[in-house]
């Protein structure tokens, strides 16, 4: 079954982070962006329904910017659909790790959980990390 990732956000965050991902990892036609509320009259429900219909025959991974935000909540209506995975907390470490493996992964849910754990470790308070590294070097 074909797999697809949709990045979805308020404003242009989704297309911006996709641009960064493509700069680092190269273009992947299985990944697209949905920038919400960037035009007057944007209808989120209609757009999400259309995307879900267009991708009904695919394993679909949607990564949204905010858990509990309107974009996430609109996709949440489909959470029980088979072969649909919804992740909140769109960030570049997650995308780099996940996009490198999602096409060949046997179990997407396991890969998502594993990638979430790894990407959380990539979020650092550098001042503290730097001080700890200096202390270790001096010891």
């Amino acid at each position: 079954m074909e797999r697809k990732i949709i990045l979805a956000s308020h404003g242009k965050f989704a297309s911006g982070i996709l641009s960064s991902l493509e700069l680092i990892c190269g273009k992947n036609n299985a990944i697209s962006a949905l920038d919400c509320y960037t035009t007057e009259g944007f209808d989120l429900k209609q757009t999400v329904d259309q995307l879900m219909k267009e991708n009904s025959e695919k394993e679909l991974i949607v990564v949204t910017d905010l858990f509990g935000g309107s974009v996430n909540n609109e996709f949440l209506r489909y959470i029980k659909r088979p072969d649909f995975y919804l992740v909140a907390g769109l960030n570049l470490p997650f995308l780099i790790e996940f996009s490198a493996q999602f096409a060949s992964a046997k179990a997407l849910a396991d890969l998502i959980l594993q990638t979430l754990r790894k990407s959380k470790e990539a979020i650092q308070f550098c001042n503290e990390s730097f001080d700890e590294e200096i202390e270790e070097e001096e010891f």
Side-chain angles (χ1 to χ4, degrees):
M1 179 179 273
E2 186 179 350
R3 293 177 171 166
K4 181 172 179 70
I5 300 173
I6 296 174
L7 313 176
S9 71
H10 299 78
K12 296 183 178 179
F13 179 52
S15 61
I17 202 166
L18 178 58
S19 173
S20 296
L21 178 67
E22 289 174 349
L23 181 72
I24 295 167
C25 299
K27 185 163 180 59
N28 183 332
N29 290 328
I31 305 172
S32 63
L34 171 63
D35 294 330
C36 300
Y37 307 113
T38 58
T39 58
E40 192 168 318
F42 173 78
D43 188 329
L44 179 59
K45 182 181 183 306
Q46 181 181 18
T47 303
V48 168
D49 288 346
Q50 183 64 35
L51 279 171
M52 296 303 290
K53 185 177 177 182
E54 289 171 4
N55 294 289
S56 63
E57 301 296 319
K58 298 175 185 167
E59 280 190 292
L60 184 62
I61 305 99
V62 174
V63 186
T64 65
D65 54 353
L66 290 172
F67 178 70
S70 59
V71 177
N72 184 262
N73 287 344
E74 205 58 45
F75 281 103
L76 200 55
R77 294 183 299 118
Y78 290 91
I79 200 70
K80 294 293 184 185
R81 189 191 101 169
D83 302 314
F84 175 65
Y85 306 90
L86 181 60
V87 179
L90 181 59
N91 68 70
L92 197 53
F94 176 83
L95 287 179
I96 291 170
E97 183 83 20
F98 187 74
S99 67
Q101 301 177 54
F102 88 100
S104 61
K106 290 182 180 172
L108 280 177
D110 291 342
L111 177 61
I112 289 168
L113 290 171
Q114 176 186 0
T115 307
L116 282 173
R117 280 192 285 274
K118 287 183 179 177
S119 64
K120 288 176 185 174
E121 294 171 7
I123 299 171
Q124 295 282 317
F125 179 32
C126 296
N127 297 57
E128 186 175 285
S129 301
F130 181 78
D131 288 343
E132 287 175 4
E133 188 172 309
I134 295 298
E135 286 177 18
E136 288 177 13
E137 287 177 7
E138 291 175 353
F139 182 66

